[in-house]
C-alpha cells in the first residue's frame, strides 16, 4: 500500500512565497500589530531558529546546507522586524502592565529573570557577550579563513578535474558535476564570510534597541502617563529586557548554527554520529573513570557527586569495549537485477580456479572463521612453502562445500582432474605409525592419505598417550593440507601456465634485461618456453634458479626449438641443480646404470623410431622395472636417495618407462653428472641374472 505524500505547492506559489514574505517583513516594521499577533510571530521566530539549528547539526558536509547564508539573512531580518514591532508596542502600551506587549515578552520578563530587571540586565549582557565575543567572532574567523583557502585552492582543483578528464578517469558529465561542486563550494564559503557579519550586527542592534526601549520608557512614563521614575523603570525596563531576551535567544541559536556549519568537516555521518564515533572508545573513558575515582576518594571531595560520575564513565568504557569486540555487520550487497532464465552465462560453464578442494558438510568447521579456520591457514602455509620450493607463485586454492560428497570426505582437483580424495574427522586426531610405535590405540583404523601409513583416528584426549607410544599425531586440517601439498608437488607442472611464465620473465627482466630480450618471444615463443619449463617441473627440477635455466635455454635455442629436444639439450647445464637433492657436497652420488649391451639395444630401438614414441618392448620393459625395483628396495628402506644414469639418447625413453612404476626416481644422462662429482655405482641393471 502506497504511503500518503504531502501535496507539493504549485511552482507559482513557491516562486511567490519569498517576495511575499519579504513584503510582510517590511510591513511588520511599519504597520502596528496587536500583541496577540506579536506573540505568534515570536513563537514563529523561535521555531525557525530551532529548525535551522537542527538542519545544521544533521548535515554531513557544509554544502548540504548551501542555502544557509540566505536563510541566515532572512532570519535576521525577521527578528529585527519583530524588534521594531515589539519596540512600538512596548513604548505605546508599556504603562498598561506586564502583559501589554504580549504573553511571550511577559513570560521572558517574569519567569526567566524572576521579575527583577536588574537581574535581567546582567543575563542579557552575558548572552550578548557569549554571542558576540565567543560564538560569532569565532565563526566569522573560521568563515574568513575557509573562504580564503577555498579560493586559493580553486585553480588547482579545476586543473585536477581537467587532468582526470584528459586521462579518461572520469566522463565529461562527471567533470561538469565536479566543476559545479567546486564553484558552489567557493561561493558558499564566500557567502558565509559575509553572513557572519549579519549575526554580529544583529547582536549590536539588540543592544541598541534595548537601550532605546529603556531610555524611551523612562522618558515616556513620567511625561506622557504620569508615572514615577521607579514605576516607569519597573514597567518599561522589565518589558524591554523581556523583549531583548526573546530576540537574543533565537539569535544565539542562529550563531551556533553558523558556527556548526563553518566548522563542519565532511563525513558520511551527521555531526552527532561523527562525535559519537570518535568519543566511543574505551581508551577515552577508562582513564577518565580512573581519574574521577581517584578524585572521589580524596578527603574533602564531594563523594556523592564525583563517584557516580566515575561509575558512569566506567560504564561507558565497558560499553565501548564490548561494542568494539562485536563483529561488524557486512554491508548489504546491492540487489541484483532479475536474471533472465533463458540466458546462460559463461560463469555457469567456466571455472577459472585451477586448484579446488571440495569438502563435505562435516568438514565445514575446519574453514569456519569463527573457529579460527585452521584449514585455511594450513593451505596458505602450503602455498607459501611450495612457491618457495618451485620458484613461482602457486595458484590460489578454492575451498568449497559439495553436497554430493560424504559428510567427512574431501576431494582435491587440479585443472579439472581429481587427483586425490579421502576421509577426515574434524573432531579427532590421526595417529600415524611411522614404524617406531608400539601398542594398540582405541579408535577408527585408517590409512594416511599421503604416505599410505597405518593410522588410527583417536580422540584429542588420547593424543598425549599416543605420542608417548611413538605415534605421530596430527589434526584433520594437517592431514588434508599434507595430502594437498604432496599432490601439488607431484603435479607441479600442471600449475604452471603462460601467465606464470610471463611473470617469471617480468621478474627476471628487472635483473637481466638483455637475457630476457635474447630469449623471448624471439627466438623462443612463450608457448615453447612454457612446455620446456613444465617438462623440468615434471621431473622435480625447481625453477628457483630461473636465470640459470633461462640462460641455458637461450644458448641451446639456436640448435632446436622443439620443446622435448630443447629440454634434453639444457639438462647437462643444470646437472648441479639436479643432483644437489640427491647427494651432499662431500657425499658420493649413488647411481644405478644399465648393462652396456642392454643400453646398446635400447639406443638402437630409439634411433629407429622416427616418430619418437620411445616404445620399449612391453616384456623387456617389465623385466627392467622389476630389476630396478629389486635393486632400489634396500636403498628406499634406508632412505638413501639415488639416480638411474643412462646414455643421453635413451634417457627420455627410460624416464617414461620408470615413471609408470617409480615416479620419484630421477633418470639422468651421463652428461648431467658433473665431472668433479664422486659416483658410487650401487647396481647394474641388465647384468647376468638381473633380468630374470
Amino acid at each position: 500500500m502506497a504511503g500518503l505524500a504531502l501535496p507539493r505547492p504549485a511552482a507559482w506559489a513557491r516562486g511567490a512565497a519569498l517576495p511575499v514574505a519579504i513584503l510582510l517583513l517590511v510591513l511588520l516594521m511599519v504597520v502596528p500589530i496587536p500583541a496577540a499577533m506579536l506573540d505568534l510571530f515570536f513563537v514563529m521566530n523561535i521555531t525557525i531558529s530551532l529548525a535551522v539549528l537542527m538542519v545544521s547539526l544533521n548535515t554531513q558536509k557544509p554544502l548540504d546546507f548551501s542555502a544557509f547564508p540566505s536563510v541566515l539573512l532572512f532570519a535576521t531580518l525577521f527578528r529585527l522586524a519583530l524588534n521594531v514591532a515589539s519596540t512600538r508596542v512596548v513604548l505605546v502600551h508599556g504603562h498598561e502592565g506586564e502583559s501589554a506587549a504580549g504573553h511571550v515578552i511577559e513570560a521572558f520578563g517574569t519567569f526567566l529573570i524572576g521579575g527583577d530587571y536588574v537581574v535581567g540586565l546582567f543575563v542579557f549582557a552575558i548572552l550578548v557577550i557569549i554571542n558576540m565575543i565567543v560564538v560569532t567572532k569565532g565563526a566569522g574567523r573560521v568563515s574568513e579563513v575557509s573562504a580564503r583557502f577555498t579560493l586559493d585552492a580553486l585553480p588547482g582543483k579545476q586543473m585536477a578535474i581537467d587532468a582526470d578528464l584528459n586521462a579518461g578517469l572520469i566522463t565529461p558529465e562527471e567533470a561538469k558535476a565536479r566543476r559545479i561542486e567546486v564553484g558552489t563550494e567557493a561561493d558558499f564559503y564566500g557567502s558565509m564570510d559575509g553572513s557572519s557579519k549579519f549575526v554580529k550586527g544583529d547582536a549590536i542592534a539588540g543592544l541598541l534597541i534595548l537601550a532605546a526601549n529603556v531610555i524611551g520608557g523612562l522618558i515616556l512614563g513620567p511625561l506622557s502617563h504620569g508615572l514615577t521614575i521607579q514605576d516607569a523603570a519597573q514597567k518599561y525596563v522589565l518589558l524591554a529586557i523581556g523583549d531583548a531576551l526573546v530576540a537574543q535567544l533565537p539569535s544565539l541559536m542562529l550563531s551556533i548554527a553558523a558556527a556548526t556549519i563553518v566548522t563542519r568537516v565532511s563525513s558520511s555521518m551527521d555531526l552527532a554520529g561523527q562525535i559519537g564515533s570518535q568519543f566511543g572508545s574505551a581508551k577515552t573513558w577508562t582513564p577518565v573513570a580512573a581519574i574521577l575515582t581517584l578524585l572521589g576518594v580524596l578527603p574533602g571531595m564531594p563523594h556523592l557527586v564525583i563517584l557516580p560520575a566515575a561509575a558512569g564513565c566506567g560504564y561507558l568504557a565497558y560499553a565501548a569495549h564490548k561494542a568494539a569486540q562485536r563483529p561488524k555487520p557486512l554491508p548489504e550487497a546491492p540487489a541484483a537485477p532479475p536474471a533472465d532464465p533463458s540466458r546462460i552465462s559463461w560463469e555457469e560453464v567456466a571455472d577459472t580456479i585451477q586448484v579446488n578442494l571440495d569438502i563435505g558438510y562435516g568438514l565445514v568447521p575446519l574453514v569456519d572463521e569463527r573457529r579460527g579456520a585452521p584449514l585455511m591457514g594450513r593451505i596458505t602455509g602450503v602455498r607459501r612453502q611450495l612457491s618457495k620450493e618451485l620458484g613461482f607463485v602457486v595458484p590460489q586454492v578454492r575451498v568449497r562445500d559439495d553436497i554430493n560428497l560424504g559428510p567427512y570426505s574431501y576431494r582435491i582437483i587440479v585443472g579439472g582432474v581429481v587427483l586425490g580424495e579421502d576421509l577426515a574427522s574434524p573432531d579427532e586426531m590421526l595417529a600415524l605409525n611411522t614404524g617406531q610405535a608400539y601398542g594398540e590405540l582405541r579408535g577408527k583404523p585408517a590409512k594416511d592419505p599421503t604416505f599410505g601409513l597405518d593410522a588410527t583416528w583417536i580422540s584429542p584426549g588420547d593424543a598425549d598417550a599416543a605420542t608417548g607410544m611413538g605415534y605421530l599425531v596430527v589434526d584433520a586440517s594437517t592431514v588434508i593440507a599434507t595430502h594437498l601439498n604432496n599432490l601439488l608437488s607431484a603435479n607441479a607442472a600442471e600449475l604452471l601456465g603462460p601467465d606464470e611464465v610471463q611473470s617469471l620473465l617480468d621478474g627476471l627482466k628487472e635483473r637481466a634485461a638483455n637475457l630476457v630480450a635474447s630469449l623471448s618471444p624471439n627466438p623462443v615463443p612463450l608457448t615453447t618456453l612454457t612446455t620446456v619449463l613444465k617438462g623440468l617441473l615434471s621431473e622435480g627440477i625447481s625453477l628457483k634458479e630461473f636465470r640459470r635455466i633461462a640462460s641455458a635455454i637461450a644458448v641451446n635455442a639456436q640448435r632446436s626449438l622443439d620443446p622435448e629436444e630443447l629440454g634434453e639439450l639444457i639438462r647437462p647445464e643444470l646437472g648441479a641443480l639436479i643432483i644437489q637433492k640427491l647427494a651432499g657436497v662431500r657425499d658420493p652420488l649413488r647411481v644405478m646404470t644399465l648393462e652396456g649391451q642392454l643400453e646398446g639395444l635400447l639406443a638402437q630401438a630409439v634411433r629407429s623410431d622416427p616418430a619418437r614414441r620411445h616404445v620399449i618392448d612391453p616384456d623387456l620393459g617389465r623385466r627392467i622395472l622389476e630389476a630396478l625395483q629389486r635393486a632400489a628396495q634396500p636403498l628406499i628402506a634406508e632412505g638413501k636417495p639415488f639416480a638411474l644414469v643412462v646414455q643421453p639418447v635413451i634417457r627420455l625413453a627410460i624416464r617414461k618407462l620408470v615413471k609408470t612404476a617409480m615416479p620419484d626416481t630421477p633418470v639422468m644422462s651421463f652428461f648431467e653428472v658433473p665431472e668433479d662429482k664422486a659416483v658410487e655405482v650401487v647396481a647394474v641393471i641388465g647384468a647376468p641374472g638381473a633380468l630374470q
Side-chain angles (χ1 to χ4, degrees):
M1 180 178 178
L4 296 176
L6 294 176
R8 295 177 60 87
W12 66 268
R14 294 197 305 270
L18 190 57
V20 170
I22 295 176
L23 180 60
L24 289 176
L25 289 179
V26 177
L27 292 176
L28 193 60
M29 295 181 185
V30 178
V31 179
I33 61 174
M37 188 173 292
L38 192 62
D39 286 341
L40 178 63
F41 283 139
F42 275 131
V43 173
M44 186 183 299
N45 183 28
I46 296 174
T47 303
I48 293 174
S49 301
L50 285 172
V52 172
L53 179 60
M54 292 302 106
V55 173
S56 303
L57 294 177
N58 289 308
T59 55
Q60 296 180 354
K61 56 183 179 179
L63 288 184
D64 289 344
F65 197 5
S66 58
F68 181 75
S70 299
V71 172
L72 185 61
L73 169 63
F74 293 126
T76 303
L77 290 177
F78 181 47
R79 188 168 55 258
L80 292 175
L82 283 178
N83 281 336
V84 174
S86 62
T87 297
R88 182 185 300 108
V89 173
V90 168
L91 294 179
V92 173
H93 302 287
H95 65 282
E96 298 177 3
E98 297 176 352
S99 62
H103 296 292
V104 174
I105 292 179
E106 179 187 9
F108 274 79
T110 58
F111 178 73
L112 292 184
I113 61 176
D116 190 339
Y117 59 85
V118 177
V119 175
L121 286 174
F122 282 105
V123 171
F124 176 76
I126 292 173
L127 289 177
V128 171
I129 291 173
I130 293 173
N131 193 3
M132 287 186 58
I133 298 180
V134 180
V135 182
T136 303
K137 186 176 181 179
R141 180 57 178 166
V142 173
S143 299
E144 180 183 351
V145 174
S146 299
R148 185 185 307 162
F149 285 175
T150 302
L151 291 175
D152 290 344
L154 184 60
K157 292 181 179 179
Q158 295 285 6
M159 293 175 61
I161 295 172
D162 294 337
D164 290 345
L165 179 62
N166 295 332
L169 301 177
I170 58 176
T171 62
E173 291 76 14
E174 293 173 334
K176 182 178 179 181
R178 287 175 57 179
R179 289 192 185 98
I180 293 175
E181 182 179 359
V182 169
T184 304
E185 183 181 14
D187 294 340
F188 173 78
Y189 283 109
S191 300
M192 283 301 302
D193 186 23
S195 298
S196 61
K197 305 300 187 294
F198 296 148
V199 181
K200 183 178 181 181
D202 180 33
I204 296 174
L207 282 174
L208 297 178
I209 292 173
L210 173 63
N213 285 336
V214 172
I215 295 173
L218 293 178
I219 294 175
L220 289 175
L223 295 180
S224 300
H225 304 293
L227 300 176
T228 63
I229 294 295
Q230 184 177 0
D231 290 339
Q234 183 66 30
K235 294 180 182 295
Y236 284 97
V237 174
L238 191 62
L239 290 176
I241 293 174
D243 177 34
L245 289 176
V246 170
Q248 195 62 33
L249 288 178
S251 175
L252 180 60
M253 286 188 286
L254 286 180
S255 300
I256 295 173
T260 302
I261 285 292
V262 297
T263 58
R264 187 79 168 91
V265 177
S266 298
S267 173
S268 59
M269 299 178 288
D270 58 16
L271 185 59
Q274 188 178 9
I275 294 175
S277 64
Q278 295 174 3
F279 274 84
S281 171
K283 295 180 180 179
T284 300
W285 295 108
T286 301
V288 173
I291 294 173
L292 286 179
T293 302
L294 181 62
L295 290 176
V297 299
L298 292 177
M301 288 291 178
H303 310 296
L304 297 180
V305 177
I306 298 180
L307 291 179
C313 294
Y315 174 77
L316 290 177
Y318 174 77
H321 178 69
K322 286 295 183 182
Q325 291 182 333
R326 193 178 304 123
K328 297 181 179 179
L330 296 176
E332 294 184 2
D340 183 1
S342 63
R343 182 179 178 183
I344 302 176
S345 63
W346 282 105
E347 287 76 9
E348 297 182 54
V349 296
D351 190 355
T352 57
I353 302 299
Q354 194 171 359
V355 183
N356 289 284
L357 174 61
D358 295 348
I359 59 176
Y361 67 85
L363 299 179
V364 170
L366 296 179
V367 296
D368 189 351
E369 293 185 359
R370 293 172 297 181
R371 302 189 180 186
L375 180 57
M376 302 307 296
R378 299 283 187 183
I379 292 175
T380 301
V382 166
R383 289 184 59 232
R384 181 177 290 110
Q385 184 62 31
L386 275 179
S387 298
K388 293 179 180 179
E389 294 176 359
L390 299 177
F392 66 93
V393 178
V394 173
Q396 184 178 3
V397 179
R398 179 175 63 184
V399 181
R400 56 189 181 184
D401 59 321
D402 189 345
I403 60 175
N404 296 319
L405 289 176
Y408 301 111
S409 300
Y410 67 89
R411 179 183 295 150
I412 299 172
I413 305 172
V414 177
V417 179
V418 178
L419 298 183
E421 56 185 354
D422 213 291
L423 300 173
S425 181
D427 299 324
E428 294 180 316
M429 309 284 284
L430 186 65
L432 296 93
N433 186 354
T434 58
Q436 301 176 351
Y438 62 90
E440 297 292 333
L441 295 175
R442 293 178 301 173
K444 296 177 294 186
K447 284 284 187 180
D448 172 53
T450 304
F451 307 106
L453 300 175
D454 292 331
T456 305
W457 286 104
I458 61 175
S459 65
D462 297 333
D464 292 339
T467 302
M469 296 168 63
Y471 287 89
L472 176 63
V473 181
V474 294
D475 58 12
S477 59
T478 303
V479 172
I480 299 175
T482 305
H483 194 189
L484 176 67
N485 178 73
N486 180 263
L487 292 178
L488 293 183
S489 298
N491 297 271
E494 302 300 326
L495 306 177
L496 186 74
D499 293 333
E500 287 75 18
V501 175
Q502 187 61 54
S503 297
L504 288 172
L505 291 173
D506 294 340
L508 181 60
K509 191 174 183 179
E510 298 178 1
R511 308 186 304 273
N514 292 332
L515 173 58
V516 174
S518 65
L519 175 64
S520 180
N522 188 20
V524 184
L526 184 62
T527 54
T528 301
L529 181 60
T530 302
T531 305
V532 172
L533 296 179
K534 287 170 72 73
L536 296 178
L537 287 172
S538 65
E539 297 199 40
I541 301 176
S542 171
L543 304 183
K544 285 194 299 183
E545 298 296 329
F546 182 64
R547 179 171 183 170
R548 183 169 182 172
I549 295 172
S551 178
I553 294 175
V555 171
N556 290 279
Q558 310 300 325
R559 300 169 59 184
S560 175
L561 287 178
D562 179 79
E564 200 170 73
E565 290 185 6
L566 186 57
E568 292 300 303
L569 290 174
I570 66 173
R571 286 183 64 91
E573 300 183 37
L574 307 179
L577 296 177
I578 299 174
I579 68 169
Q580 65 181 358
K581 295 193 302 182
L582 303 174
V585 176
R586 299 180 180 180
D587 298 329
L589 175 64
R590 301 179 186 86
V591 300
M592 296 183 185
T593 61
L594 298 182
E595 191 270 333
Q597 189 174 5
L598 176 60
E599 272 194 324
L601 179 64
L602 294 174
Q604 182 179 359
V606 169
R607 293 190 184 96
S608 62
D609 181 16
R612 291 188 302 179
R613 293 170 298 176
H614 301 158
V615 178
I616 298 177
D617 179 74
D619 183 61
L620 178 60
R622 176 184 58 78
R623 288 187 289 165
I624 293 176
L625 286 177
E626 290 176 353
L628 181 62
Q629 289 173 330
R630 287 194 299 269
Q633 189 172 0
L635 296 175
I636 295 176
E638 297 177 9
K640 296 180 179 179
F642 65 94
L644 177 61
V645 180
V646 297
Q647 293 183 14
V649 69
I650 66 171
R651 194 205 74 84
L652 197 56
I654 295 298
R655 169 59 187 167
K656 292 180 179 180
L657 173 66
V658 172
K659 185 178 181 180
T660 59
M662 303 175 65
D664 296 331
T665 301
V667 179
M668 304 173 60
S669 71
F670 292 119
F671 294 152
E672 297 171 28
V673 181
E675 295 181 356
D676 58 347
K677 186 64 178 177
V679 175
E680 177 185 352
V681 179
V682 294
V684 178
I685 309 300
L691 294 179
Q692 299 297 329

